[in-house]
Amino acid sequence: MAARIGLLGGTFDPIHFGHLRAAEEAYQKLALDKVIFLPTAVPPHKKRPDLSPFSLRFEMVRLALSGVPYFEVSDLERRLPKPSYSIKTLEVLKEQVPGGEFFFILGFDAFLEFETWYEYQRIPTLAHLIVVTRGGGDEAAFAAKVRELFPESKQENNFWWRLPRGFSVRYLPILRLDISSTFLRKAVKNRESIRFLTPDPVRDFIFAHGLYAADLASPGAREDYDKSPE
Ligand code: ATP
Ligand code: MG
């Protein structure tokens, strides 16, 4: 049987439990064989001059996935032309794993701006689109967006639309975790705790490399931070 492969792209600056739970729930609910995390080299949408280097974002993902046999991280987008377009990444993955059935996982927030993605209509000619809960939004909002993006789709039920070429667009309700990388970056900058929002090795890595607050890497700074009053 074809391998069922989930893909989760992101800037992962830094990775957090929102990403990990989205991948975990998709893995279990869709009976995937594995989920590949794809850190973006140069995100087409985000114009963040302070974006952390690819190697550090990649390393944080690697640390977060350690010990989970069905999660993998790929550095494919580092090697592909920039900016990183998901359709291009998918084309390469398709060649690398010819028999694979791909499930492209994205949050509802990302789906709402899907029409801004490069050649977005071609993405579900290579992979199923799996939209997980994030922020506001419900089945009705999802349905409206699917009709707008893919008028040729046929509705199977509230959660599932079929597209002409055998692929589908699905809404996958997951436990809503209101965590974002933006929040973590700001918290570190403001000396607020990020414990229990990302795995401990990622948290340690952030401090060791002075990410989001360069002075935190200096000796003693970490202890002061951990003890700082509210
Ligand atoms: P930033 O705040 O920098 O935009 P982010 O937390 O949104 O970061 P991204 O790297 O932009 O993380 O997200 C990658 C993918 O993971 C997107 O499809 C996004 O919708 C999804 N995602 C991120 N956080 C969550 C979450 N808490 N729950 C569900 N999906 C999430
Ligand atoms: Mg985001």
Side-chain angles (χ1 to χ4, degrees):
M1 241 184 45
R4 293 166 67 83
I5 303 171
L7 304 172
L8 180 62
T11 35
F12 302 120
D13 194 16
I15 189 166
H16 53 68
F17 284 133
H19 298 124
L20 292 161
R21 282 297 307 185
E24 174 74 8
E25 291 202 36
Y27 168 76
Q28 193 178 40
K29 290 177 173 152
L30 304 176
L32 303 178
D33 294 301
K34 62 175 166 183
V35 178
I36 304 176
F37 289 64
L38 289 152
T40 305
V42 178
H45 300 301
K46 291 189 188 171
K47 300 281 174 272
R48 273 189 45 221
D50 56 338
L51 181 75
S52 303
F54 181 92
S55 57
L56 300 184
R57 290 182 289 114
F58 178 89
E59 184 58 16
M60 289 192 281
V61 177
R62 201 187 62 76
L63 288 169
L65 306 188
S66 124
V68 187
Y70 47 85
F71 283 174
E72 269 177 31
V73 57
S74 163
D75 69 349
L76 182 59
E77 292 199 348
R78 172 165 52 192
R79 290 176 275 127
L80 294 180
K82 318 291 181 301
S84 314
Y85 292 127
S86 298
I87 184 66
K88 299 284 171 199
T89 307
L90 258 174
E91 282 172 345
V92 174
L93 284 167
K94 263 299 212 229
E95 271 170 34
Q96 289 180 348
V97 192
E101 186 172 5
F102 290 97
F103 296 78
F104 193 93
I105 304 161
L106 71 170
F108 194 77
D109 62 319
F111 187 60
L112 283 180
E113 26 185 71
F114 199 61
E115 70 274 10
T116 66
W117 291 31
Y118 180 70
E119 296 189 356
Y120 71 93
Q121 271 135 334
R122 283 183 54 221
I123 295 179
T125 65
L126 298 177
H128 303 287
L129 279 187
I130 306 299
V131 180
V132 300
T133 319
R134 191 186 196 197
D138 53 14
E139 288 134 66
F142 173 71
K145 192 69 193 179
V146 177
R147 281 190 208 104
E148 178 194 319
L149 292 168
F150 306 107
E152 72 284 19
S153 60
K154 296 240 171 348
Q155 182 167 5
E156 286 284 319
N157 58 42
N158 281 351
F159 299 92
W160 193 324
W161 269 253
R162 282 191 195 284
L163 292 174
R165 292 182 56 180
F167 287 94
S168 54
V169 188
R170 282 180 64 174
Y171 180 54
L172 185 71
I174 63 166
L175 181 70
R176 202 183 294 266
L177 291 181
D178 192 8
I179 306 175
S180 68
S181 304
T182 302
F183 178 85
L184 272 91
R185 292 193 300 271
K186 280 199 190 135
V188 173
K189 216 165 152 215
N190 298 333
R191 302 293 196 269
E192 290 159 12
S193 167
I194 58 164
R195 199 192 288 267
F196 309 129
L197 296 177
T198 190
D200 284 340
V202 174
R203 191 167 141 265
D204 290 339
F205 187 91
I206 289 171
F207 296 133
H209 290 264
L211 283 177
Y212 321 126
D215 49 329
L216 275 177
S218 63
R222 169 81 184 268
E223 289 70 30
D224 291 347
Y225 177 177
D226 283 344
K227 279 193 237 113
S228 68
E230 283 299 305

